[in-house]
Amino acid sequence: MIIDGKKIADTIKQEIRAKVDSLVSSGQRPPHLAAILVGHDGGSETYVAHKIRACEQCGFISTLLRFESDVEESELLSAIHKLNNDDGVDGFIVQLPLPRHINEQKVIEAIDYRKDVDGFHPINVGRMSIGLPCFRSATPAGIMMLLERYEIETNGKRCVVLGRSNIVGKPVATLLMQKGYPGNATVTVCHSATKDLKDICREADIIIAALGSPKFVTADMVKDGAVVIDVGTTRVKDETRKSGFKLTGDVDYDNVAPKCSYITPVPGGVGPMTIVSLMNNTLLAATHAIY
Ligand code: GUN
């Protein structure tokens, strides 16, 4: 079965919209998300444009703050400081990656954790890892929502996460091992130093591929009936397309899909859910549901 991330995301956006409408009719202002975008990286431009469009669909206010790629770190930090202190903004994100001369960690830690709707601040990461209420980073939270909406069993399942990034691999492993549903899985995290990776994958009931290597997961690595969640979104050159590229996942979809009980496509799987999780976090920030 193909997991339709776009359809689930559209449904959740409608649910958010209904909550926003009722907030507004009770006299509150709509939730407000701000985004900081540095430079003109094609991927980042697209992601931010999608986030702003999703805000419109959910009835949120959105603000885009743009900086050129030679912006000084201090200027960025001062913009963050302003947003932290702006009562008219409920949450904000700084789109990553940032140019090399800017210390990404310093930027993340400058964000007030109560407005950190990306869930990247160490307070949110730490609270998530011990199971406390927090902003959960968008892609892992989106994957959890997909598992939940499709009622995919995770209890006692062997789950293999490919990739150990701070924004996907580590947090998704944390959430899958947590007590409750979706969770209670036995999680193995594989990375560039993992030995016998193919054998480990073949044992998996659930594979989460988040390493950013196009078509890395091949059919011989997947057992019959496995659930495969593809987080990859690499732009691979494709002259036949107007854009000049094709968004390619970490899974060799055509050959892997026939073996799976569930699989996410790229695009239209995890991607739309990431954006909807950010919307959900913004609504939680606006209603002070967490902090
Ligand atoms: N770059 C890649 N994914 C993300 C994300 O979820 N949030 C931000 N801010 N930057 C990203």
Side-chain angles (χ1 to χ4, degrees):
M1 185 181 209
I2 298 169
I3 295 180
D4 190 342
K6 177 158 185 330
K7 189 173 119 201
I8 302 288
D10 285 344
T11 304
I12 298 176
K13 277 188 274 191
Q14 280 168 20
E15 292 167 10
I16 294 174
R17 175 85 204 205
K19 288 180 192 158
V20 171
D21 288 347
S22 94
L23 276 182
V24 171
S25 59
S26 74
Q28 286 193 52
R29 74 156 163 74
H32 183 177
L33 174 70
I36 293 181
L37 176 57
V38 180
H40 298 275
D41 170 75
S44 294
E45 289 272 3
T46 307
Y47 292 135
V48 169
H50 285 158
K51 289 169 187 178
I52 288 182
R53 205 170 104 74
C55 282
E56 284 161 17
Q57 293 167 332
C58 293
F60 293 0
I61 305 166
S62 64
T63 302
L64 173 58
L65 299 172
R66 280 181 172 276
F67 295 89
E68 288 306 320
S69 49
D70 61 357
V71 64
E72 295 219 7
E73 187 179 275
S74 57
E75 199 181 334
L76 215 49
L77 293 173
S78 118
I80 289 169
H81 190 66
K82 263 196 204 144
L83 290 171
N84 284 342
N85 292 300
D86 184 344
D87 288 339
V89 172
D90 300 300
F92 65 98
I93 63 157
V94 179
Q95 187 65 32
L96 305 177
L98 292 171
R100 288 237 302 275
H101 68 281
I102 291 170
N103 181 337
E104 213 160 80
Q105 196 56 28
K106 197 166 168 187
V107 165
I108 289 170
E109 293 190 35
I111 299 170
D112 185 325
Y113 68 94
R114 293 163 299 189
K115 293 192 177 189
D116 169 40
V117 284
D118 254 335
F120 292 167
H121 191 286
I123 290 180
N124 283 311
V125 176
R127 290 179 64 94
M128 186 187 70
S129 86
I130 56 173
L132 294 176
C134 63
F135 293 118
R136 300 189 299 179
S137 64
T139 302
I143 293 169
M144 292 297 127
M145 282 189 221
L146 279 182
L147 295 172
E148 201 173 358
R149 297 260 169 164
Y150 276 85
E151 297 179 8
I152 292 170
E153 185 59 88
T154 56
N155 191 44
K157 299 292 179 189
R158 287 187 185 205
C159 180
V160 170
V161 177
L162 301 175
R164 56 177 156 185
S165 70
N166 288 342
I167 67 177
V168 185
K170 277 183 210 153
V172 86
T174 301
L175 292 173
L176 282 163
M177 77 170 83
Q178 220 142 47
K179 228 177 201 155
Y181 178 77
N184 273 349
T186 303
V187 183
T188 305
V189 180
C190 298
H191 44 75
S192 50
T194 298
K195 290 198 179 100
D196 305 321
L197 187 140
K198 282 197 183 214
D199 293 334
I200 295 169
C201 286
R202 272 193 283 266
E203 298 279 309
D205 301 307
I206 302 171
I207 296 178
I208 314 270
L211 31 71
S213 177
K215 301 190 180 183
F216 181 91
V217 178
T218 48
D220 59 324
M221 295 162 70
V222 178
K223 85 171 176 192
D224 280 327
V227 175
V228 173
I229 307 289
D230 190 349
V231 189
T233 52
T234 308
R235 290 180 161 197
V236 172
K237 222 174 178 183
D238 183 347
E239 306 291 358
T240 68
R241 290 180 184 238
K242 214 168 76 184
S243 62
F245 67 84
K246 180 173 185 253
L247 216 54
T248 306
D250 289 347
V251 177
D252 177 12
Y253 184 89
D254 292 342
N255 295 309
V256 169
K259 300 186 84 175
C260 296
S261 55
Y262 293 92
I263 186 166
T264 60
V266 175
V270 173
M273 293 304 295
T274 297
I275 301 208
V276 113
S277 310
L278 176 66
M279 299 300 119
N280 194 45
N281 279 348
T282 305
L283 179 63
L284 293 174
T287 53
H288 300 283
I290 291 172
Y291 299 114

